[in-house]
Amino acid sequence: MDQYAIATSLIGDVYVAFGASGVTCVELVRTTTGFEESYFERLGRPVRRAKSVPKVIARIIERGSDPSEPSDLTYDLSSLSDFDRRALEATLRIPRGETRSYGQIAADIGSPRAHRAVGAALSRNPVPLLIPCHRVIRSDGSIGEYGMTGPAAKRLLLDRDMRLSG
């Protein structure tokens, strides 16, 4: 059975769910009942409360992911389409302190005209903060939208990334 616990992030407390195949979900804290119900609806399996988030996950939520730092962390993205998984995997490779455009991600995954589809895929990211979709911006350099509370949160995360990358 999957488990979840609360972790503290720069943009607020988040539920982090994880199971045998890896991290399955990161979501802003609302109500426990609401989280458990929505989790079951999305993934078709129950989730139960754990005492804490594993340390490696908590560290990445606090500091942001960095592909140059080795980690045994895995993600269960089995509920996503192949395109969405490829977009998220490309996003995971963006170093802390750097950004890529939606078009660059589309080109990286072999679909150079699919920048809007990349945006849609990132909006479905089940593990934001861990797979850093906040590092993907518009081609004009503006930050664009962010599903976890909006552009202000995205700016906070990008600023943190820049501070920690130097």
Side-chain angles (χ1 to χ4, degrees):
M1 176 183 279
D2 294 350
Q3 300 178 66
Y4 74 97
I6 296 175
T8 300
S9 80
L10 183 63
I11 60 173
D13 287 346
V14 291
Y15 292 121
V16 180
F18 46 94
S21 298
V23 181
T24 56
C25 182
V26 174
E27 186 177 294
L28 285 171
V29 169
R30 291 185 300 252
T31 65
T32 301
T33 305
F35 175 75
E36 292 174 2
E37 288 173 359
S38 69
Y39 189 88
F40 186 81
E41 286 174 16
R42 276 186 312 220
L43 297 172
R45 56 188 192 247
V47 62
R48 67 178 165 86
R49 186 85 184 243
K51 290 182 182 177
S52 63
V53 173
K55 285 182 173 53
V56 66
I57 299 171
R59 182 181 53 78
I60 293 172
I61 286 175
E62 180 182 316
R63 293 183 46 88
S65 68
D66 188 343
S68 68
E69 295 176 1
S71 171
D72 294 333
L73 195 57
T74 59
Y75 304 97
D76 180 350
L77 304 176
S78 60
S79 65
L80 301 177
S81 71
D82 179 61
F83 181 89
D84 287 4
R85 278 193 300 279
R86 289 186 295 126
L88 291 173
E89 288 164 358
T91 301
L92 188 57
R93 294 189 294 269
I94 303 170
R96 185 173 41 222
E98 295 184 21
T99 59
R100 301 288 184 275
S101 72
Y102 294 98
Q104 287 172 305
I105 296 297
D108 287 350
I109 64 171
S111 299
R113 295 178 162 214
H115 61 279
R116 285 196 172 116
V118 166
L122 298 185
S123 74
R124 293 185 289 271
N125 180 1
V127 290
L129 302 177
L130 296 173
I131 296 181
C133 55
H134 64 275
R135 294 181 187 156
V136 183
I137 61 172
R138 294 179 175 161
S139 60
D140 66 3
S142 62
I143 63 169
E145 296 300 317
Y146 186 58
M148 289 193 74
T149 73
K154 189 172 187 174
R155 172 56 57 204
L156 278 172
L157 293 167
L158 288 169
D159 289 347
R160 179 212 51 205
D161 283 355
M162 289 303 292
R163 282 192 315 274
L164 292 174
S165 68

